[in-house]
Amino acid sequence: MRLRVAPGGPAALKVLAAAGAAAAPVRLVWGDPLERPLASLSPPWVPALELDSGTVLFSPNAICQFFFLARGEEPTDLTNQWLEWEATELQPAASAALYAQLVHGKKGLEAVEALGQLLDHIEQNLTRRGTAYLAGDTKSVADVVVWGALFPVLQDETSLPSELQALRTWFQNMTLSEACRKAADSVLMPKALLEFKSYLQKHPPPCVATERATSNEPEVQPGPGMGHHGAGGDGCADPHWDQPSSLGPASPQEEDGSERALTEEEITAAVDAWARGVAALPKPWKPQKPVLPVEGMRNVLITSALPYVNNVPHLGNIIGCVLSADTFARYCRLRNWNTLYVCGTDEYGTATETKAMEEGLTPQEICNKYNAIHADIYRWFDISFDYFGRTTTPHQTTIAQDIFQRLLARGFLLQDTVEQLRCEDCQRFLADRFVEGVCPFCNYEEARGDQCDKCGKLINAVELKNPQCKLCRGVPVVKTTQHLFLDLPKLEERLEPWLEQSWATGDWTANARYITRSWIRDGLKPRCITRDLKWGTPVPLDGFQDKVFYVWFDAPIGYLSITANYTDQWERWWKNPQQVELYNFMAKDNVPFHSVIFPCSLLGADDNYTLVNHLIATEYLNYEDGKFSKSRGVGVFGDMAKDTGIPADIWRFYLLYLRPEGQDSAFSWSDLMLKNNSELLNNLGNFINRAGMFVCKFFGGVVPDMVLTLDDKRLLARVTLELRQYHQLLEKVRIRDALRCILSISRHGNQYIQVNEPWKRIKGDEKDRQRAGTVTGVAVNMASMLAIMLQPYMPSVSLAIQGQLRIPPDCFILSHDFTCTLPAGHCVGTVSPLFQKLENDQVESLRKRFGGGQTEDVAVKPQAEQTHPAPATLGAPGDPQLIQELTEKVAKQGNYVRQLKANKAEKGEVDTEVAKLLELKKQLLLAEGKSPEVPVPKGKRKK
């Protein structure tokens, strides 16, 4: 690659800094701005990157992105927001400030003043997110690009106001980094700056827009390919950019009410839509049961990743899969799209066998127990499954074996000998989770048979040093066994064209695209689809009767079998790609199984299966400053949420408000209290309650006549814009960002009421009373629309508003227009507050309760309670009852210790429980009439 830059030009600064930060292998060419550019459209002083293919990039931001992409750092949605904001807002202002400095001689403080709101915006974002850099805790292309725009104007960070502490720290860290320092030294030389100043003096000053587009913190959705990874900047618009330029990171202007001007056409259209009223709304669609695809309708099939049956889901599990899918499913139904949402528990595999052994139950008993727990949790969270099933059904066996037979018949399966650890004492080959040992890479002593939790590297169980069977603590031996493999390399020629088409026509999240690309880029390899287990779908092939399908071949087929348990016409959904749109919801760790392995299985089966059109993956939700841990009592789990006294809709709202769409996010009790008290109580609830109360108090519960003024009409147009942005975002499955539109509308409503003061005008003359009536009528209609928009997020609250305002059922449909659904003469019901304030003492109590050490789940609690050594007076040596009791306690305590280790509990906690285990073993030996021996240190054997 050849990078041509002209010294002195500020655009060269960010490009050189990005090349250094990304360690890009470029050949640097210093050019004269007046010489012929590398590309005919490339303006002077702007860098150009000539790729080995001959393609020339001359957008500085695109070049910066290319460098980071080339080393495997694909931008997150948040990074894309910053790049868009830098190109559309910061860059023009910084260029104008630099022009004022170099041409008009203005100095530092004046430049800082000109950038004031933009610098505040960076400060607010850094402070709010609490991260060292703009898009996280590590430097990204966004940091380089924003720094590159600011540094020519603010070369000395001491010129920054002292109150912008987070910005000062960030700016100083960037400036002191080697890549940025070298770039500044190379580009901003005095002679070069004089040449650039001379160039600027021959041109008019840059024009900075005085009106800024409004936004409510939506993120930009990148599409496939390089052209979709962010703004080009410097006037070089991306031809593939399919989102309006108003979408970007939250700007300070949003908070002080500054918005783009409305056009006359927008105002007129909004008034017309309002006037058409209920008659213009479509009738709500009521599908028959069971829900089946309908010719001529948009048929939407929604799945969320099947939760493992062997554990209780925590808040991160809930928002990553079922709650996100539920919100979108509810939105689809409000749009009159024919929608089916299915899910269920994933019940086969090693994890279930392990849990069964821990709890002393059979695998089927474990599945029955935890399926009921999951169903209860999702019922409390108001998840609107059309059907919630499970994978341990006859339909699962039938469908999985049929897909297997079709793959076998078409030559997409391989058979190979695999070396595997076998425990002779247990008389079984050991699955990865049943083996522990020393990591061959970092020597961590408790590495699992599939991965080391310390260094994170994947491990083949036979590579472990000093392996142990987790079931009996015996030493397993390496033996060969036959397994079947899905021939992914052979299926790649079918996979790639399908992926390209799905990416081009569907909405895949950026992380889903990136993870899938990385799998394909690294080369697909045959993947084992069988396991030496008893609990699973049997393999219908001679010689493999003692094996079952590996859970990640088997589990996604659960979507089909669960639908088959819902309706015997399941193939109308799953073998109907021409009529059905499939949305998969999951956390990012599940992506490769849904984007590569499962599609390859269905493509190879060659039976017209419905494949995913839209793969929606979240990042991770953490808990406060760490991770959720059931064993350590850290974090809120689904079965605990209802015991907090906080309603399910508040949990739904907050989880969706911080949904990890572009990067990991963290649950915070303080933030939950803040959002409840400010956004719900003081903003949304306050507006809806006031609007309804004014109708009751001033107009006898009857919506008054409305005579619209120009200000009212502008409000209708403003609300319509928010409504349409809400639709645009939800159609792209930007669930979190669409929620901001609801809150923005209620803010408009509160401001509208506050400015017009209907409580005062109602006491005035006829004109004032009429004005109070108009404001009240418009406000209560806004509340009615908010009830419908809110339904996907807070269904119980939505239903409460519907009841209070007596919104007609036929109006509970989402259109793209703000219409008058509660006309003059409509009677409302009893209006009461929707939300309650969360007090600091209440929240602090909950923070302490869930910060570690709260009651364990039903499976762990008995073990924890029974870890205290039994008193020696229970019986004499040789007492069968005493021996039995102690034997059971040793087994339970041993399982508890292993569970603590598996969940990476604190060393002190593990040591305490190990000591209890040793004491119990000592008492057992005494009860058996044996002499307790001193434990032999690990790694040594008695002679």
Side-chain angles (χ1 to χ4, degrees), residues 163 334 462 590:
E163 62 269 20
L334 285 173
V462 297
N590 281 337

Side-chain angles (χ1 to χ4, degrees), residues 15-24 67-68 71 73 139-140 144 177-180:
V15 169
L16 282 183
F67 289 150
F68 278 80
R71 78 166 186 177
E73 291 188 26
K139 193 185 306 174
S140 71
V144 174
S177 68
E178 184 179 6
C180 292

